[in-house]
Amino acid sequence: MSSDQFEVHKWHIFKFILLIFMIGGVNCDLTISTLGPSLVNTTVGSNVTLVVTISGVPDPVITWKMGSLPVVTWTLGSSVAPDIAIIHRDVLKIETDGSLTFRNVSFVYSNTYTVEIVKSGFKTVSATFVLKVYDYIRNVSVNTEPADALEGAEKFTLQYSTLQGEADQWRWYFNSVEIQNNSHYTVGQKSLVIHQPNRNDTGPYTLVLTNPFSTVTFQRKITVLYGPDEPMLGASPSQAFFVSGDTLSLSCQAEGVPQPSASWMFGGQTLPVSQGGSLNLTNVQTSQGGIYTCVLVNVDTGAQRKRNLTVNVYESPTASPMCSVNAVNGNVDLQFHCRWTGGTPEALLSFPALTNATSGAGDFNLTIPASQDLNGKMVLCRANHPLRQTRCNITATGPAKFLPMVLTTVDREGKIVVTIHCNSQATPKAMVTWSKGTELLANGLQYQISVDTAQLNIHDFNTSTAQLYTYTCNCSNPLGNNGKKTQLLGPTISDSSLFPNQNGTIVTMTWEVPPTSVITGFDIQMSGPDLLTVTKNGSRRKRAIEGFRSIQQRPGSSRSTDISVLDPKSTYYFRVIPIAGRTQGEPSAVQRIGPGGLSRPQIIGLAVGIPCGLLFLLLLIGLIYLCVYCCRKKRQQNRYPVPRAVEKVVSTQPDVNTPNHLLTGGLKPLPDYNRMTSQAAPAERSIPLPTFVAPPPVRTATIV
C-alpha cells in the first residue's frame, strides 16, 4: 500500500469515528437552569438580573431574546465582547455565567425573555423569564361615556386612567359590594360597563387599583337619568318567531327623570306588566301572536310615547302527515291525498314525484289517471312547516292474491249465518263484487254485502247439498283485479290428534277442518269407562259404559279441548263430530288412549275368531281328506276287458294324442283300461253296436 493510499485510508477511518460520535454523542448533556422565579417584578429605574446556570459542555453560544427579537449573543467564556443590540447597550449586560442584567430599567422592558444555548452536536436548550416593570400608581381619574347614565341605554361605561403607574389588578365596588362579571356588568382592564343602566345603578362606584408595589382607591357617584324618549323594545330570547308553549319577555325602556311608567296593549286591552315595564308571557299560544303596543308615560311631565312590536307564535301540526290514495271517477283515476292540519301557519304540501306545478296547504289532493307505472311505486308527500320538515309516502298497488275466509255463526233465531270474507291487499282498497255460480249477488233478505263490500253474509243457510254453492268474489281497483272462488262444504273434520299428559289423566284432543267447511260447533264423544268421580268419602269409582257418548260441546271456532279425570289404567276412545245447526257431519277418526296391549274389541274379536278359525281349519282338513279318499276309492274299482267287437271298433279310432311307447325287450305294455274306458265311451255312442250273437263260453280274466 502506497503512502497516499494509507493517508486516504486513515482519513476514512477518522470520518467514520467522527460520524459515530456525531450520531451517538458523548455521555455529556448540555443543560440550563434558572435561579429564582421565572416571573420577575421590579420598579422603574432599578437594576435586576435574570440568573441562569449553564453546564455540560464548554463554550456554548448564548442568545437572549426579548419576545422573539434576539438582543444579546455571546459565546460563553469567550474573550470576544458579546453582541448586544445598540439600542439596549445602555441597559442590558450579559454576565460571565450567561445571566442577563438590566440597569436602570424602564417600562419598555416589560416583556418575555428567552435564553437559548446552542452547541454543535448537542440539542438546543432554553429557559424563559417574564419581566414586569412597575411604577407607583398616582393621580387616578374616572371618566364616563356617555356623560350621563340613561335608563334603557345600551351601556354606560366608567373608564379610569392614571398619570403614573400601571395596575395589574383592578376591582370595582358598588355600594361596598364587589362587582362581578354578569349580564348587567362587564369588568374590563381599564373600564366598567353597565349594560342597560337603570335607576338601581345610581350610587357610589369605588375603584381599587393594585400592583406589586402600590394600591390606590378612587370613588365616583353615578346618577342614572330617566325620561320618555324613543322606547327601546325587545323580546327575550331574541328570535324571529316563538313556539307555542314558550316563555318570553317583552321589554320597553326609555330615558326619563323620573322613571317613566310603561304599559302594554294587545287587542285593545291593557296587559299587566312587571316592574320596569317588561311584559312576560308564559306558555304562549298561537292566539297570542300579533302586534303588541308599548306605552311609556312620564308621570311628572305627562309625556307619552308608543311603539309596536310584532310577536309571531307558531305551532307545529299535530302528529305526522298522513298519505292515502283513493279510487275516483268510476274506479278509473287515482286521487293522492296528503293531510297535515293543525299547524300555524299551515304546512305546505306537495307530491314532487307526480308534479311540481301544484301544491297545497294543510290538506292537499292530486288526481291523476291510473297507469301500471304507478303500480307498486312509492309516492312521497313533502310537508314543510317553519318548525318541522317531514314527509309521508303511499304506494298504490293492484289487488294481490288472497284466500277467502269462511266463518259460521248462529243468529238469535237459531239459523245459520255463513260469512265469506275476501280481503285482497290493495291500495286503494279494492271494491268486491260477489256472485253465486253465474248469478251476480246484491243485498237482499238472504244475501247481505258489507259497506266495504269485502264481506258476504248468507242468512238462513241450509247445509244440504243444494245450498253448497260455489261463491266467487272479485276484487278490483284502478290498477287491476283479482278473483277467487269458494266452494262451501258441509260439516267436515279433516284431521284429529290426541295428546295425553305425563300421568295419563288428561288428554288434549285437537282437530282440523277444511277452510270452507260450514260448522257451528263440535260434539266431543267418548267410548269406554266413565270419567272418574269422587264420592263423599273421597274414594273414586267408575262405571263402564258401552258405545260413544257426548262429553263436551265446543263452539265452531274451537280446534282443541282438554278432557280430564281419566283413569290411566283404562282404555278410552274419542272422536269429534262436526255440527252445522242441526246437521251432523261424519265423525273424525277414532283416537285411542290407554295402557299397552290389545284393545277390548280386539280381545273380543280374538275370542270369537279363534274358535271359528279352528272350526274352519277342521272342516278344510276333513274336506281334503274326503277328496283324497274318494279318488283312491275310485282307482281301486275292478276293470274288465272291453268286448273284442267293441275293441275292434275302438281300434278303428286312431289315437292321435297317445304315442306308441315300446317296452324294453320289444313287448307291449299292459293296456290302461281307465283311459281306454274313458276314451271308448264316446266312440260307442257314435257307432251302432252289431247284432248280438251269443259267443261260445270263454274264460275271462280280471286284471286289477
CSV table of all heavy atoms in Angstrom, one decimal, residues 16-26 121:
chain,number,residue,atom,x,y,z
A,16,PHE,N,-15.2,8.1,9.9
A,16,PHE,CA,-16.1,7.1,10.4
A,16,PHE,C,-16.3,7.3,11.9
A,16,PHE,O,-17.4,7.2,12.5
A,16,PHE,CB,-15.6,5.7,10.1
A,16,PHE,CG,-16.5,4.6,10.7
A,16,PHE,CD1,-17.7,4.3,10.1
A,16,PHE,CD2,-16.0,3.9,11.8
A,16,PHE,CE1,-18.5,3.3,10.6
A,16,PHE,CE2,-16.8,2.9,12.3
A,16,PHE,CZ,-18.1,2.6,11.7
A,17,ILE,N,-15.1,7.5,12.6
A,17,ILE,CA,-15.1,7.7,14.1
A,17,ILE,C,-15.9,9.0,14.4
A,17,ILE,O,-16.7,9.0,15.3
A,17,ILE,CB,-13.7,7.7,14.6
A,17,ILE,CG1,-13.0,6.3,14.4
A,17,ILE,CG2,-13.7,8.1,16.1
A,17,ILE,CD1,-11.6,6.3,14.8
A,18,LEU,N,-15.6,10.0,13.6
A,18,LEU,CA,-16.3,11.3,13.8
A,18,LEU,C,-17.8,11.1,13.7
A,18,LEU,O,-18.6,11.7,14.4
A,18,LEU,CB,-15.8,12.4,12.9
A,18,LEU,CG,-16.5,13.8,13.0
A,18,LEU,CD1,-16.2,14.3,14.4
A,18,LEU,CD2,-15.9,14.7,12.0
A,19,LEU,N,-18.2,10.4,12.7
A,19,LEU,CA,-19.7,10.1,12.4
A,19,LEU,C,-20.3,9.4,13.6
A,19,LEU,O,-21.4,9.7,14.0
A,19,LEU,CB,-19.9,9.3,11.1
A,19,LEU,CG,-21.3,9.0,10.8
A,19,LEU,CD1,-22.1,10.3,10.5
A,19,LEU,CD2,-21.4,8.1,9.5
A,20,ILE,N,-19.6,8.4,14.2
A,20,ILE,CA,-20.1,7.7,15.3
A,20,ILE,C,-20.3,8.6,16.5
A,20,ILE,O,-21.3,8.6,17.2
A,20,ILE,CB,-19.1,6.5,15.7
A,20,ILE,CG1,-19.1,5.5,14.6
A,20,ILE,CG2,-19.5,5.9,17.1
A,20,ILE,CD1,-18.1,4.4,14.8
A,21,PHE,N,-19.4,9.5,16.7
A,21,PHE,CA,-19.5,10.5,17.8
A,21,PHE,C,-20.7,11.4,17.5
A,21,PHE,O,-21.4,11.8,18.4
A,21,PHE,CB,-18.2,11.3,18.0
A,21,PHE,CG,-17.3,10.5,18.9
A,21,PHE,CD1,-16.2,9.8,18.4
A,21,PHE,CD2,-17.4,10.6,20.3
A,21,PHE,CE1,-15.4,9.1,19.2
A,21,PHE,CE2,-16.5,9.9,21.1
A,21,PHE,CZ,-15.5,9.1,20.6
A,22,MET,N,-20.8,11.8,16.3
A,22,MET,CA,-21.9,12.8,15.9
A,22,MET,C,-23.3,12.1,16.1
A,22,MET,O,-24.2,12.8,16.6
A,22,MET,CB,-21.8,13.3,14.5
A,22,MET,CG,-20.6,14.2,14.3
A,22,MET,SD,-20.4,14.7,12.6
A,22,MET,CE,-21.9,15.7,12.4
A,23,ILE,N,-23.4,10.8,15.8
A,23,ILE,CA,-24.7,10.1,15.9
A,23,ILE,C,-24.9,9.7,17.4
A,23,ILE,O,-26.0,10.0,17.9
A,23,ILE,CB,-24.7,8.9,15.0
A,23,ILE,CG1,-24.6,9.3,13.5
A,23,ILE,CG2,-26.0,8.0,15.3
A,23,ILE,CD1,-24.5,8.1,12.6
A,24,GLY,N,-24.0,9.1,18.0
A,24,GLY,CA,-24.2,8.6,19.3
A,24,GLY,C,-24.0,9.7,20.4
A,24,GLY,O,-24.5,9.6,21.5
A,25,GLY,N,-23.2,10.7,20.1
A,25,GLY,CA,-22.9,11.7,21.0
A,25,GLY,C,-22.0,11.2,22.1
A,25,GLY,O,-21.5,10.1,22.1
A,26,VAL,N,-21.7,12.0,23.0
A,26,VAL,CA,-20.9,11.6,24.2
A,26,VAL,C,-21.8,11.5,25.4
A,26,VAL,O,-23.0,11.8,25.3
A,26,VAL,CB,-19.8,12.7,24.4
A,26,VAL,CG1,-18.8,12.7,23.2
A,26,VAL,CG2,-20.4,14.1,24.6
A,121,GLY,N,-23.6,19.6,17.7
A,121,GLY,CA,-23.6,18.2,18.1
A,121,GLY,C,-24.5,18.0,19.3
A,121,GLY,O,-24.6,16.8,19.8
